[in-house]
Amino acid sequence: MNEVMNSGALNFASLVVSLVVLVVGLVLWFFINRASSRTNEQIELLEALLDQQKRQNALLRRLCESNEPEKEETPEPVKAQAKEDDEDFIRLVAER
């Protein structure tokens, strides 16, 4: 009779352990799945932010180019003076 009671208690204990493992597994699955979905949402938001920043950079580039003053060409005497200065500098460099 003692043996019948022990086998029933053993079956009940294994059933309880199985249920506890199942509940713990479901809780872990819930939190992992939730974290995964949040991560996917954050990745989508970051990609949208990157796309908006690229658009803003393109707009700023166009705005800067449209507001940029035209470059004035330097007159010839200044260029000639710069060329003479370059030649003077070359004369100072020692030859080997």
Side-chain angles (χ1 to χ4, degrees):
M1 188 118 192
N2 225 0
E3 293 173 7
V4 173
M5 293 288 239
N6 287 340
S7 66
L10 187 61
N11 285 337
F12 182 72
S14 66
L15 180 65
V16 169
V17 169
S18 297
L19 287 175
V20 168
V21 168
L22 178 68
V23 169
V24 169
L26 287 174
V27 169
L28 285 174
W29 174 81
F30 172 77
F31 284 111
I32 290 172
N33 191 20
R34 184 175 168 201
S36 174
S37 64
R38 281 190 175 184
T39 303
N40 289 337
E41 289 174 3
Q42 288 176 350
I43 289 171
E44 289 175 7
L45 290 173
L46 287 172
E47 287 175 349
L49 183 64
L50 178 65
D51 186 43
Q52 288 177 356
Q53 285 178 342
K54 285 180 180 179
R55 288 184 199 164
Q56 286 178 350
N57 286 341
L59 287 173
L60 283 172
R61 203 171 285 127
R62 276 191 258 155
L63 181 65
C64 289
E65 288 173 359
S66 67
N67 288 340
E68 187 175 279
E70 294 182 15
K71 294 181 180 178
E72 297 177 8
E73 293 190 25
T74 56
E76 286 298 319
V78 174
K79 286 184 179 178
Q81 181 67 27
K83 188 174 181 181
E84 289 176 11
D85 289 343
D86 288 344
E87 289 176 0
D88 289 341
F89 181 72
I90 291 173
R91 291 182 192 151
L92 292 176
V93 176
E95 293 182 17
R96 293 185 183 204

